[in-house]
Amino acid sequence: MEKNREEGQKGRQRKKISFFILLVLICTVAVIFLVPVVLTVLRSFYMGEKVSLVGYRELFLNCFPFYRMFWNSVLYAVTITAGAVLIAVPAAFAFCFAKFPGKHLVYVLYIVLMMMPLQVMILPNYIGLRDLGLLNTRAAVILPLIFSPLGVVVLRQYMDGTEIEAIEAARLETSSCLRILWHCVLPQLKVCICAVALFLFAESWNLLEQPLLYLNEDSKRNLSIFFSQTEKYEGEVLYPAAVLFMVPVCLWYLLYHRELKEGLKYH
């Protein structure tokens, strides 16, 4: 009995030590990620060695390209996110419940495309957009990303955990796939759609290669290009611009972080 108690105490001590080490590692990683963000925010309020709002004043009153590129970023992020979700939901529904030849092969291709690095797809997309006459248009940035396989794959995996009984019951009442999708499937996908939309928005907000290669005019480019052209702007406006650049994604995460956690659970 005493040996069992001693072994139990040693086991609990080992668990406590392991938990403490894991907690220290997580806190260390969190600090490493947070330090650049905190320093950027603090630096945006300093001019020389004094606390000042000169940087924000110069950005809002004298740096007019910032406004154009900011709203271009909003346009690209919102349009790509909305379009990708609208396409991903019915596509995932088809992969999960429909029966057609080659379904599994097509789904594997979706996974392969999702795993491919962006640089592999740049040249084929550029050639296709050139042949369609879409280069140097906002559609050149929006259209390829609307058909991103990420949302389809994630929603398809999540749909495996949906209640099949409700869908089977609905099929007895109607033969309309759209009505079944709207009334039976979408209510079960809300949290996953929020998670997918957050990832798509963050990816679209940070676009760099596509606007740089597909667009020739700064009037159509986004904020990522603004930061890549540091030689054109005074250093005092870059830190405030970086802070504002982080705000939309951070707000979206703070508003929907619970849905993000629930949406990424394996079903």
Side-chain angles (χ1 to χ4, degrees):
M1 293 293 291
E2 292 181 357
K3 290 183 178 180
N4 292 334
R5 290 178 181 175
E6 290 178 357
E7 291 178 356
Q9 290 178 354
K10 290 181 180 179
R12 287 191 292 271
Q13 289 177 354
R14 285 194 293 267
K15 289 182 179 179
K16 290 180 180 179
I17 294 172
S18 300
F19 176 78
F20 178 75
I21 294 174
L22 180 61
L23 182 62
V24 171
L25 289 175
I26 292 174
C27 292
T28 302
V29 173
V31 169
I32 292 173
F33 278 95
L34 285 175
V35 164
V37 177
V38 174
L39 290 178
T40 300
V41 175
L42 293 177
R43 180 63 179 81
S44 69
F45 291 101
Y46 277 85
M47 181 59 61
E49 297 181 354
K50 298 180 180 179
V51 177
S52 174
L53 296 176
V54 173
Y56 286 94
R57 186 186 66 189
E58 291 296 320
L59 178 66
F60 291 138
L61 299 181
N62 295 323
C63 190
F64 298 107
F66 171 81
Y67 290 97
R68 182 172 58 245
M69 291 183 172
F70 177 86
W71 289 113
N72 283 337
S73 293
V74 173
L75 173 65
Y76 292 141
V78 172
T79 306
I80 291 170
T81 302
V85 169
L86 289 175
I87 291 174
V89 171
F93 179 76
F95 277 123
C96 192
F97 299 108
K99 295 181 180 179
F100 55 89
K103 180 176 75 171
H104 298 292
L105 176 61
V106 176
Y107 184 66
V108 170
L109 292 176
Y110 263 76
I111 296 176
V112 172
L113 287 173
M114 184 182 69
M115 297 175 64
M116 280 187 177
L118 173 65
Q119 291 75 12
V120 175
M121 305 302 297
I122 285 291
L123 181 58
N125 285 338
Y126 184 90
I127 294 173
L129 293 169
R130 181 197 63 190
D131 294 342
L132 292 172
L134 295 177
L135 288 179
N136 200 31
T137 66
R138 290 182 172 87
V141 177
I142 295 172
L143 286 180
L145 294 174
I146 282 180
F147 299 94
S148 170
L150 173 64
V152 178
V153 173
V154 174
L155 287 170
R156 162 66 176 81
Q157 293 299 111
Y158 193 89
M159 281 187 186
D160 283 339
T162 56
E163 298 179 2
I164 305 298
E165 296 78 7
I167 297 174
E168 293 296 332
R171 291 179 63 184
L172 298 176
E173 300 293 333
T174 179
S175 59
S176 173
C177 293
L178 291 178
R179 293 184 64 183
I180 294 174
L181 178 63
W182 181 263
H183 294 287
C184 299
V185 178
L186 282 182
Q188 302 181 57
L189 294 180
K190 288 181 180 179
V191 292
C192 187
I193 290 174
C194 288
V196 170
L198 176 57
F199 278 112
L200 292 172
F201 183 88
E203 181 181 5
S204 304
W205 184 258
N206 295 309
L207 290 177
L208 177 61
E209 290 86 354
Q210 294 91 335
L212 188 63
L213 296 175
Y214 300 159
L215 303 176
N216 299 326
E217 302 173 6
D218 284 347
S219 61
K220 299 175 183 177
R221 289 173 169 173
N222 59 351
L223 270 182
S224 297
I225 306 301
F226 178 87
F227 293 110
S228 69
Q229 299 174 340
T230 54
E231 71 281 355
K232 293 184 179 181
Y233 309 103
E234 298 181 4
E236 60 190 13
V237 304
L238 293 178
Y239 284 102
V243 172
L244 296 177
F245 183 72
M246 293 185 289
V247 168
V249 176
C250 292
L251 285 178
W252 195 322
Y253 175 78
L254 291 174
L255 290 174
Y256 296 103
H257 66 279
R258 293 181 180 177
E259 287 80 0
L260 177 62
K261 294 177 183 178
E262 291 294 326
L264 295 180
K265 287 183 179 179
Y266 181 77
H267 280 241

